Amino acid sequence: MSAPLLQMDGIDKSFPGVRALHQARFDLRAGEVHALMGENGAGKSTLMKILSGIYQPDAGEIRLDNKPVQVPSPRAAQDLGIAIIHQELNLMPDLSAAENIFIGREPRKRLSFFTDDAKLNADAAAIFETMHLKLDPRTPVGTLSIAKQQMVEIAKALSFRSRVLVMDEPTAALNDAEIADLFAIIARLKAEGVGIVYISHKMDELKRIADRVTVMRDGEYVATVPMAETPVERIIAMMVGRALSDERPPAPEENGREPLLEVRALNRGAAIRDVSFAVRPGEILGFAGLMGAGRTEVARAIFGADPLDSGAILVRGKEIAIRRPQDAVRAGIGYLSEDRKHFGLATGMDVRDNVAMASLSRFTTPGGFLREGAMSETAKRYIAQLAIKTPSDRQEARLLSGGNQQKVVIAKWLLRDCEVLIFDEPTRGIDVGAKAEIYKLLNALAAEGRAIIVISSELPEVLRLSHRIAVMCEGRLTGVLPAGASQDEIMRLATQRGETSGDTRPSAAMGGRR
């Protein structure tokens, strides 16, 4: 067995009121992929921020090639051959892809202060070629999709020729083809002796590429085990300290109940083409499909974020004119965007203000002043009800873990008493323990008689949650399947281009109505 390339031992780190790490440890060998796992808030990101020089440890030692090293800054980490690809993109939108990759390290022309743009672009193009990425290095990053921006971040890290590469949820915004390219890059880096720390909640990915896995819980080291020999159930139990239930929610009884939400023949250019469906009280309707299938576009149109060309939206059988999100909220529809940090939360504001944001009229006096005591009391009630982990209702939302941020957004819409809730990628970037809590919450909301729509790119998630599964392809609803459908059935409909499938079964798709 080779000696570790990297060792971190006895790492402690505290923030005001929070002990983030206690005697944490981690090691990495050259030429391996070592997965780092744990629930949100377990300390994974804090440990890696210490390794990359963003935070300084209160105690502990870092050794590289068995020699103690100090990492006082991100630049020092880069000089040591340590690079990190953050889950949150850190790019400048107005600069080109090449300029983002080599920012601060731009090649210069001889005897000149001017940047050698030709070499800059050629060097970036060479990295893209090794990644099998078709991208003009001169393209402004702000015009790229999130997936392409993620690939630029990866290219930036590769440009340092690092010996230690930390990847934090690198596939969150990538499609299957891009993930395959990334895994090919990882295999090449392993062969070159690069040690890779891979942070992900996707067990199927880790089973494919990880050699070992280290589990953390509550800021402490739990165990390191070989990935190939360890059952997924054991890893999950180590992460959460308990076994997780995998019960399917009971299907609601129809009893002739009218749909809470019904949409008829929605159209919006090529993105939405003649989409009709309905959701009954107590039902979770899952939406599946490949990237670009039109699922998010349907959700945004229902919520009034994007205009429709034609179609009707009915709530409790009554047609509602929804031209903007305020109309949808007044009709009792809440939408939790897949990008909660940009469209769901005001991350610089505290938990209390985020919870009250959509219902400020309830907390405003006739004179126009806010009843802050009532806001705090309400926020604390939802913090307890949803088990939001936060020091107080005055904690800034940006400091919460992903799962707890999602719960704050849910609390906002529960306070608004929305009967129809649309969840777009509700567990993206959330660990398995927090996922289980979100699943439990969704089932509880359905049990209260709300109509729930869940859009997810993870087929196991759709199958686990849904009473029925609507499948889309290229803007069309190609079929609606019952609970218990197979992944093969879903993928067949998700790749069925052209006219709507005969498997749509109108009575099921429309909740018993035309």
Side-chain angles (χ1 to χ4, degrees), residues 231-489:
V232 169
E233 293 76 14
R234 182 185 169 199
I235 295 173
I236 293 173
M238 288 192 295
M239 288 172 60
V240 302
R242 65 191 187 279
L244 296 181
S245 167
D246 194 21
E247 296 179 1
R248 184 184 300 280
E253 296 181 6
E254 291 194 32
N255 293 333
R257 289 186 295 177
E258 293 291 314
L260 261 180
L261 172 71
E262 182 176 353
V263 303
R264 298 176 179 172
L266 298 189
N267 286 281
R268 183 173 187 268
I272 306 173
R273 298 190 282 177
D274 197 30
V275 170
S276 300
F277 65 88
V279 197
R280 296 189 302 272
E283 182 180 29
I284 299 177
L285 177 65
F287 265 75
L290 302 177
M291 289 183 68
R295 299 165 299 163
T296 293
E297 286 79 2
V298 168
R300 287 177 56 86
I302 293 171
F303 193 62
D306 295 326
L308 282 168
D309 297 335
S310 62
I313 300 171
L314 295 83
V315 176
R316 290 195 176 277
K318 180 182 178 182
E319 185 170 347
I320 305 294
I322 297 179
R323 297 182 179 88
R324 54 183 184 164
Q326 292 92 324
D327 298 330
V329 172
R330 278 194 291 269
I333 301 173
Y335 174 50
L336 288 81
S337 167
E338 62 178 328
D339 190 349
R340 60 180 173 268
K341 291 190 176 180
H342 284 96
F343 301 117
L345 286 169
T347 54
M349 295 170 64
D350 58 34
V351 172
R352 183 198 72 178
D353 291 345
N354 271 282
V355 171
M357 187 183 300
S359 308
L360 283 179
S361 60
R362 298 190 185 188
F363 304 103
T364 306
T365 67
F369 295 99
L370 288 177
R371 295 187 294 117
E372 297 192 9
M375 289 170 62
S376 286
E377 183 180 336
T378 300
K380 289 174 182 176
R381 187 172 75 248
Y382 281 105
I383 288 170
Q385 178 182 334
L386 303 181
I388 300 172
K389 295 178 182 177
T390 176
S392 76
D393 64 305
R394 303 313 305 273
Q395 178 83 326
E396 285 189 28
R398 66 182 179 85
L399 299 177
L400 302 184
S401 68
N404 288 299
Q405 288 179 344
Q406 188 72 297
K407 290 181 181 181
V408 172
V409 182
I410 294 171
K412 175 178 71 175
W413 294 120
L414 292 183
L415 176 58
R416 186 74 199 193
D417 199 27
C418 293
E419 292 186 300
V420 178
L421 290 169
I422 305 172
F423 292 80
D424 196 349
E425 302 288 358
T427 64
R428 175 171 286 171
I430 293 177
D431 63 78
V432 292
K435 278 187 180 183
E437 292 182 5
I438 295 295
Y439 295 163
K440 183 179 179 181
L441 180 56
L442 292 177
N443 290 333
L445 293 172
E448 292 174 2
R450 301 176 199 266
I452 310 292
I453 294 174
V454 174
I455 300 167
S456 177
S457 299
E458 297 185 30
L459 288 185
E461 180 166 273
V462 172
L463 290 167
R464 175 177 179 173
L465 281 171
S466 308
H467 299 116
R468 290 183 299 130
I469 302 162
V471 188
M472 292 191 67
C473 179
E474 295 185 347
R476 297 182 185 276
L477 185 65
T478 53
V480 177
L481 299 169
S486 69
Q487 293 195 26
D488 287 344
E489 289 178 289

Side-chain angles (χ1 to χ4, degrees), residues 30 42 64 74 90 134 141 186 204 220 237 260 263 273 347 357 374-375 470 487 495 507:
L64 196 63
N90 189 28
K134 295 180 179 179
V141 159
I186 289 173
D204 58 332
E220 299 185 356
L260 261 180
V263 303
R273 298 190 282 177
T347 54
M357 187 183 300
M375 289 170 62
Q487 293 195 26
T495 55
S507 61

Side-chain angles (χ1 to χ4, degrees), residues 8-317:
M8 303 179 75
D9 288 305
I11 305 295
D12 289 353
K13 182 64 179 177
S14 294
F15 300 98
V18 178
R19 187 181 73 175
L21 295 173
H22 176 64
Q23 292 295 295
R25 58 190 175 96
F26 183 82
D27 71 86
L28 178 68
R29 300 169 189 155
E32 79 161 342
V33 175
H34 192 153
L36 181 58
M37 301 193 71
E39 295 189 85
N40 288 107
K44 309 182 300 296
S45 294
T46 301
L47 187 64
M48 291 301 102
K49 285 178 179 178
I50 287 173
L51 176 62
S52 57
I54 297 171
Y55 294 155
Q56 296 305 302
D58 299 331
E61 182 181 57
I62 301 174
R63 301 177 71 86
L64 196 63
D65 292 324
N66 208 28
K67 298 176 183 177
V69 295
Q70 301 293 321
V71 193
S73 67
R75 183 59 183 264
Q78 292 170 4
D79 292 341
L80 289 168
I82 300 168
I84 183 168
I85 301 168
H86 295 283
Q87 182 179 359
E88 305 298 333
L89 300 180
N90 189 28
L91 299 170
M92 297 187 180
D94 295 329
L95 298 184
S96 72
E99 288 167 335
N100 268 281
I101 291 170
F102 293 105
I103 190 165
R105 303 176 292 140
E106 299 88 348
R108 302 287 178 179
K109 294 181 178 179
R110 182 173 296 181
L111 302 177
S112 172
F113 291 104
F114 294 102
T115 301
D116 188 340
D117 291 333
K119 179 171 174 51
L120 178 80
N121 293 323
D123 290 348
I127 297 173
F128 292 157
E129 185 175 353
T130 67
M131 297 172 63
H132 302 286
L133 178 62
K134 295 180 179 179
L135 176 62
D136 186 335
R138 298 167 295 182
T139 306
V141 159
T143 66
L144 299 176
S145 67
I146 295 297
K148 285 284 173 57
Q149 289 184 29
Q150 179 72 286
M151 297 303 272
V152 172
E153 280 277 28
I154 293 169
K156 183 177 180 179
L158 295 180
S159 73
F160 288 103
R161 301 190 178 277
S162 306
R163 301 175 62 206
V164 175
L165 181 59
V166 182
M167 295 184 169
D168 191 352
E169 298 284 357
T171 64
L174 305 186
N175 62 31
D176 289 345
E178 291 162 336
I179 290 172
D181 287 340
L182 174 63
F183 286 177
I185 293 166
I186 289 173
R188 176 173 59 79
L189 293 173
K190 282 183 61 176
E192 294 174 358
V194 176
I196 298 169
V197 185
Y198 197 96
I199 301 174
S200 177
H201 303 307
K202 298 179 179 180
M203 290 291 185
D204 58 332
E205 288 184 4
L206 297 179
K207 281 293 184 183
R208 288 169 61 187
I209 64 166
D211 300 297
R212 292 188 295 157
V213 56
T214 286
V215 177
M216 296 182 66
R217 184 170 69 243
D218 298 329
E220 299 185 356
Y221 171 87
V222 175
T224 299
V225 295
M227 193 75 205
E229 303 167 18
T230 309
V232 169
E233 293 76 14
R234 182 185 169 199
I235 295 173
I236 293 173
M238 288 192 295
M239 288 172 60
V240 302
R242 65 191 187 279
L244 296 181
S245 167
D246 194 21
E247 296 179 1
R248 184 184 300 280
E253 296 181 6
E254 291 194 32
N255 293 333
R257 289 186 295 177
E258 293 291 314
L260 261 180
L261 172 71
E262 182 176 353
V263 303
R264 298 176 179 172
L266 298 189
N267 286 281
R268 183 173 187 268
I272 306 173
R273 298 190 282 177
D274 197 30
V275 170
S276 300
F277 65 88
V279 197
R280 296 189 302 272
E283 182 180 29
I284 299 177
L285 177 65
F287 265 75
L290 302 177
M291 289 183 68
R295 299 165 299 163
T296 293
E297 286 79 2
V298 168
R300 287 177 56 86
I302 293 171
F303 193 62
D306 295 326
L308 282 168
D309 297 335
S310 62
I313 300 171
L314 295 83
V315 176
R316 290 195 176 277

